[in-house]
């Protein structure tokens, strides 16, 4: 069951970024595609670290903004967070590079 949930979430992410790529292409912003994809990979990796290691959830910024914003900068600075975030970026970017062509050519995908 978890494999289905993880796969659905992952391919939703890939579909979203492929749609962003198409949107950029249609608006002649092709040169920004790689920057946008990498930026989103970085933000997702930071979000994964915040959720898995700092144990915050998506509502923490709304329900505990002072606590969240006071703890966050200090917790993201250090060797361990940096290593985890960089490894997560590498994993996300690598898997995305493998899945992007599959999604873009998929019969499920339409422009």
């Amino acid at each position: 069951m978890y494999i289905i949930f993880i796969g659905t979430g992952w391919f939703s992410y890939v579909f979203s970024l492929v749609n962003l790529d198409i949107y950029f292409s249609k608006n002649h912003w092709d040169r920004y595609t790689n920057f946008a994809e990498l930026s989103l990979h970085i933000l997702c990796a930071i979000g994964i670290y915040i959720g898995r290691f700092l144990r915050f959830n998506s509502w923490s910024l709304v329900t505990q903004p002072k606590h969240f914003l006071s703890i966050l900068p200090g917790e993201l600075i250090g060797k361990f967070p940096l290593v985890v975030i960089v490894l997560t970026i590498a994993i996300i970017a690598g898997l995305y590079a493998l899945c992007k062509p599959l999604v873009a050519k998929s019969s499920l995908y339409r422009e």
Side-chain angles (χ1 to χ4, degrees), residues 54 69-78 81:
L54 303 182
L69 293 174
S70 67
I71 287 179
L72 190 62
E75 293 291 334
L76 290 179
I77 297 171

Side-chain angles (χ1 to χ4, degrees), residues 43-57 68 72 76 85:
L43 289 173
C44 286
I46 292 169
I48 290 168
Y49 179 81
I50 290 170
R52 295 299 304 159
F53 292 93
L54 303 182
R55 306 302 292 166
F56 283 108
N57 63 36
F68 181 76
L72 190 62
L76 290 179
I85 291 170

Side-chain angles (χ1 to χ4, degrees), residues 42-97:
I42 291 168
L43 289 173
C44 286
I46 292 169
I48 290 168
Y49 179 81
I50 290 170
R52 295 299 304 159
F53 292 93
L54 303 182
R55 306 302 292 166
F56 283 108
N57 63 36
S58 56
W59 282 102
S60 296
L61 187 58
V62 176
T63 60
Q64 309 168 14
K66 286 184 181 179
H67 178 66
F68 181 76
L69 293 174
S70 67
I71 287 179
L72 190 62
E75 293 291 334
L76 290 179
I77 297 171
K79 188 175 182 179
F80 179 73
L82 183 62
V83 169
V84 171
I85 291 170
V86 168
L87 285 174
T88 306
I89 293 166
I91 291 168
I92 290 171
L95 289 175
Y96 176 72

Side-chain angles (χ1 to χ4, degrees), residues 1-16 103:
M1 185 65 79
Y2 288 119
I3 300 282
I4 293 169
F5 289 138
I6 292 168
T8 301
W10 174 253
F11 279 101
S12 296
Y13 177 75
V14 175
F15 271 98
S16 297
V103 167

